[in-house]
């Protein structure tokens, strides 16, 4: 598809692709990877269901009491004194059948005995020896949680393609299932490129910097539940880069690199991809992060992210994240975006879609607003750490005045 081996502009899209088009090309090209495994429920948080989960039994399995109180026999008269014949505590049911005029002491979660029609909360009850007086009298069915009220027996409770949340694990546990089948997660090999980069623990010589991209990328990959292979720092050297790509392609479904894709610098990765791989596009019209390669290398998909730390994170969230979700077999779900007033004036030149860093702040009346993080340079990684959202500014928009409404995209999706 649109390989650019012979492209006259030598590996740079002119003009860069709009983000939606880049995403559409990626999502058309990628098929979910195959393979699944059986996992203990507790290990499955953040994994993607390979098959639907069915409620093997109704939850709750029995009618039970929503209150501490007294279960009253059907057919008793409103206001009549009741004879206390036993108790139904959680885990210790009353095994008899109530006859009109009878009641049992019942606790929250206790099974409602046969013959009972309602539960009176204990605050509405006075007892004298074995006689119970109820006022006000409960309505039929009051304070009874019905069998199957949470999950009906046989119902599909979670669809295949669902990324499991903590609540999902609990729902599955409530049906008694200890193991579930999840998809094999994508395997992602990633490495940083650049002669100036040092790994942590090494001293810095003049002009050198520490490799931070491997930490941000590793963190974001972990949040996506993929298997990560860290290939370290690779020098700006054609044979070293090719060897690193070959090794990654032998192990992973996806290769992710950062750096070495800017126009002007020795474009070794681009050359290698043109000769030994395939590129579907080279740049996306977003800021930060214009240079961004998507293609294939051997059997693996390839994403070449820009080296600038903020650009690497922004392109990962906008492009790599949806791609990995699709590869993982997850149901597509758009990023959550909404409109809030912006407390600061923001500078923006019309032309590219921008992802500025913002901090959403609660307002006194309970609504939300956003402020900018100040310096928006693509090398200012601390702006990502300070921010809790992107402020998404459309390509054609210009400066934002304080008080104007803007679109925000919160970071992260808490898997409650
Ligand atoms: P490049 O895309 O290789 O031209 O890199 C663009 C900018 O990002 C340069 O200032 C690099 O030093 C910086 N950079 C590239 N890779 C990393 C990395 N892994 N960690 C931190 N900064 C990086
Ligand atoms: Mg570089």
């Amino acid at each position: 598809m649109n390989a650019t081996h012979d492209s006259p502009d030598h590996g740079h899209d002119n003009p860069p692709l709009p983000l939606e088009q880049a995403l559409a090309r990626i999502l058309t090209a990628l098929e979910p990877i195959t393979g699944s495994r059986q996992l203990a429920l507790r290990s499955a948080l953040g994994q993607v269901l390979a098959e639907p989960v069915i409620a093997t039994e109704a939850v709750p399995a029995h009618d039970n009491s929503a209150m501490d109180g007294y279960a009253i026999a059907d057919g008793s008269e409103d206001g009549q004194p009741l004879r206390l014949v036993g108790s139904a505590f959680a885990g210790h049911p009353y095994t008899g059948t109530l006859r009109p005029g009878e009641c049992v002491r019942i606790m929250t979660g206790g099974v409602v005995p046969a013959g009972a029609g309602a539960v009176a909360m204990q605050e509405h009850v006075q007892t004298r020896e074995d006689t119970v007086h109820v006022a006000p009298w409960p309505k039929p069915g009051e304070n009874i949680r019905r069998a199957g009220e949470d999950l009906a027996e046989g119902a599909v409770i979670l669809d295949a393609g669902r990324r499991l949340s903590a609540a999902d694990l609990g729902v599955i546990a409530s049906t008694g299932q200890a193991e579930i089948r999840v998809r094999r997660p994508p395997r992602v090999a990633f490495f940083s490129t650049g002669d100036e980069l040092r790994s942590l623990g090494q001293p810095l010589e003049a002009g050198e910097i520490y490799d931070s991209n491997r930490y941000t990328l590793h963190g974001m990959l972990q949040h996506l539940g993929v298997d990560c292979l860290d290939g370290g720092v690779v020098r700006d050297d054609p044979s070293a880069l090719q060897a690193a790509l070959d090794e990654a392609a032998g192990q992973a479904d996806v290769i992710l690199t950062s750096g070495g894709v800017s126009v002007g610098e020795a474009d070794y990765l681009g050359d290698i991809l043109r000769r030994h791989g395939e590129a579907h596009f080279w740049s996306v019209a977003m800021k930060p992060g214009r240079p961004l390669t998507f293609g294939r290398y051997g059997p693996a998909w390839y994403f070449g992210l820009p080296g600038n730390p903020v650009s690497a994170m922004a392109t990962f969230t906008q492009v790599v994240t949806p791609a990995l979700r699709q590869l993982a077999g997850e149901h597509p779900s758009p990023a959550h975006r909404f409109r809030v007033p912006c407390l600061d004036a923001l500078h923006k030149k019309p032309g590219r879609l921008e992802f500025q860093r913002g901090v959403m702040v609660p307002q006194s009346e309970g609504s939300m607003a956003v402020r900018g993080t100040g310096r928006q340079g693509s090398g200012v990684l601390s702006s990502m750490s300070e921010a809790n959202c992107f402020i998404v500014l459309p390509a054609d928009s210009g400066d934002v005045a304080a008080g104007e409404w803007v679109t925000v995209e919160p970071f992260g999706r808490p898997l409650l």
Side-chain angles (χ1 to χ4, degrees), residues 142-321:
E142 196 167 333
N143 298 321
I144 295 179
R145 300 191 290 218
R146 293 297 174 190
E149 166 181 288
D150 188 354
L151 305 172
E153 184 181 343
V156 173
I157 51 177
L158 296 168
D159 284 322
R162 169 99 175 177
R163 191 177 290 274
L164 292 167
S165 69
D168 295 340
L169 298 190
V171 168
I172 297 168
S174 76
T175 70
Q177 302 176 67
E179 290 191 340
I180 45 168
R181 183 155 287 279
V182 298
R183 284 175 163 273
R184 173 174 82 77
R187 218 168 287 132
V188 182
F190 63 108
F191 58 87
S192 296
T193 72
D195 284 345
E196 76 283 25
L197 300 179
R198 288 289 166 269
S199 291
L200 299 187
Q202 298 176 344
L204 291 186
E205 305 281 333
E208 295 181 342
I209 59 170
Y210 285 116
D211 173 9
S212 55
N213 288 350
R214 253 161 65 234
Y215 288 82
T216 55
L217 294 178
H218 183 252
M220 292 186 292
L221 289 167
Q222 278 192 308
H223 280 320
L224 287 170
V226 303
D227 287 344
C228 298
L229 302 164
D230 185 342
V233 173
V234 180
R235 308 188 65 74
D236 289 318
D237 167 77
S239 50
L241 287 166
Q242 195 174 336
L245 287 172
D246 286 338
E247 188 184 342
Q251 299 177 321
D253 305 295
V254 175
I255 305 170
L256 203 56
T257 65
S258 73
V261 290
S262 309
V263 185
E265 97 179 282
D267 187 13
Y268 300 127
L269 279 169
D271 273 345
I272 296 169
L273 208 64
R274 272 188 292 276
R275 281 205 224 120
H276 304 287
E278 185 183 321
H280 292 196
F281 59 78
W282 300 94
S283 60
V284 175
M286 62 180 276
K287 185 181 177 185
R290 180 159 25 202
L292 191 143
T293 310
F294 167 60
R296 275 188 89 75
Y297 188 83
W301 295 105
Y302 173 75
F303 292 91
L305 304 185
N308 273 309
V310 180
S311 311
M313 289 195 81
T315 49
F316 185 98
T317 63
Q318 299 305 311
V319 175
V320 180
T321 295

Side-chain angles (χ1 to χ4, degrees), residues 31-200:
E31 291 287 337
I33 58 175
T34 52
S36 66
R37 55 194 177 150
Q38 194 79 4
L39 273 191
L41 197 49
R42 198 170 270 181
S43 306
L45 182 66
Q47 296 295 308
V48 176
L49 277 179
E51 55 192 25
V53 178
I54 313 288
T56 41
E57 50 192 83
V59 178
H62 309 279
D63 288 0
N64 68 89
S65 178
M67 292 280 178
D68 291 345
Y70 292 81
I72 301 174
D74 247 343
S76 308
E77 300 284 326
D78 183 343
Q80 98 174 84
L82 300 166
R83 197 160 66 84
L84 183 61
V85 296
S87 66
F89 296 160
H92 302 277
Y94 176 78
T95 49
T97 299
L98 295 189
R99 285 169 313 195
E102 293 180 343
C103 69
V104 298
R105 180 88 173 107
I106 193 164
M107 291 304 186
T108 303
V111 174
V112 174
V119 170
M121 56 196 285
Q122 64 189 18
E123 290 81 349
H124 296 167
V125 165
Q126 297 208 313
T127 50
R128 255 167 258 125
E129 281 151 26
D130 275 353
T131 307
V132 171
H133 301 267
V134 177
W137 195 260
K139 294 190 201 58
E142 196 167 333
N143 298 321
I144 295 179
R145 300 191 290 218
R146 293 297 174 190
E149 166 181 288
D150 188 354
L151 305 172
E153 184 181 343
V156 173
I157 51 177
L158 296 168
D159 284 322
R162 169 99 175 177
R163 191 177 290 274
L164 292 167
S165 69
D168 295 340
L169 298 190
V171 168
I172 297 168
S174 76
T175 70
Q177 302 176 67
E179 290 191 340
I180 45 168
R181 183 155 287 279
V182 298
R183 284 175 163 273
R184 173 174 82 77
R187 218 168 287 132
V188 182
F190 63 108
F191 58 87
S192 296
T193 72
D195 284 345
E196 76 283 25
L197 300 179
R198 288 289 166 269
S199 291
L200 299 187

